[in-house]
């Protein structure tokens, strides 16, 4: 069953401007060290950050809270599988919210997809609840 859906569109030029203006202060406030390493290693640094920004916004929407209810930017993080597929992980308050949303006897799975077409970066997040084997929590 679907627990939440979120999407976001970010302007890469706007993210570039924020990076130029605030640099490490912005990066350290919003992105985990893993996200920063991935972004800085890419040819399109601002585009990579913009996709991750959009993913965090989309995830907060899928959690039904937006960013106004205590979720920290770093409570939501994008990594990649070896295949390149993005993976969204949640910690802290975001993980607590996810646990509250997840029905007993189910496990939450967060699906995430990212794309960009300069000057736009987009993310789409779907939170699914899958029944546990035997229905146990």
């Amino acid at each position: 069953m679907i627990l939440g859906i979120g999407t976001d569109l970010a302007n890469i030029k706007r993210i570039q401007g924020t990076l130029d203006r605030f640099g490490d202060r912005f990066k350290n406030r919003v992105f985990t060290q893993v996200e920063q390493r991935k972004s800085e290693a890419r040819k399109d640094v601002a585009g990579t950050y913009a996709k991750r920004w959009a993913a965090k916004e989309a995830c907060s929407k899928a959690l039904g809270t937006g960013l106004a209810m205590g979720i920290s930017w770093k409570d939501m993080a994008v990594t990649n599988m070896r295949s390149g597929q993005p993976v969204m992980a949640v910690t802290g308050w975001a993980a607590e919210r996810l646990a509250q949303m997840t029905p007993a006897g189910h496990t939450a799975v967060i699906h995430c997809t990212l794309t960009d077409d300069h000057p736009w970066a987009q993310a789409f997040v779907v939170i699914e609840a899958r029944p546990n084997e035997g229905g146990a929590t």
Side-chain angles (χ1 to χ4, degrees), residues 8-129:
D8 192 67
L9 186 65
N11 187 292
I12 296 169
K13 291 178 183 178
R14 181 174 153 249
I15 296 298
Q16 181 64 65
T18 303
L19 289 166
D20 292 344
R21 184 168 178 197
F22 297 105
D24 288 343
R25 184 171 156 215
F26 169 65
K27 293 179 211 175
N28 293 331
R29 179 173 172 254
V30 176
F31 302 100
T32 65
Q33 290 298 313
V34 171
E35 290 173 310
Q36 289 181 48
R37 281 194 300 274
K38 179 74 169 185
S39 297
E40 296 295 329
R42 286 292 186 75
K43 182 179 178 183
D44 183 10
V45 173
T48 304
Y49 277 120
K51 286 186 279 190
R52 279 152 177 72
W53 171 279
K56 292 168 186 273
E57 288 275 7
C59 185
S60 71
K61 292 171 185 176
L63 289 167
T65 63
L67 286 158
M69 294 182 66
I71 293 178
S72 164
W73 286 102
K74 289 185 181 180
D75 285 349
M76 302 165 288
V78 178
T79 58
N80 295 86
M81 299 174 83
R82 288 191 127 163
S83 65
Q85 177 182 346
V87 178
M88 175 67 70
V90 293
T91 58
W93 199 92
E96 291 174 23
R97 171 67 182 149
L98 183 61
Q100 292 169 355
M101 294 171 60
T102 306
H106 291 74
T107 299
V109 178
I110 303 174
H111 304 277
C112 177
T113 187
L114 310 173
T115 191
D116 65 328
D117 186 6
H118 198 79
W120 301 105
Q122 183 177 30
F124 193 74
V125 172
V126 175
I127 302 175
E128 173 190 13

Side-chain angles (χ1 to χ4, degrees), residues 104-106 130-137:
H106 291 74
R130 290 185 183 162
N132 295 334
E133 287 287 320
T137 51

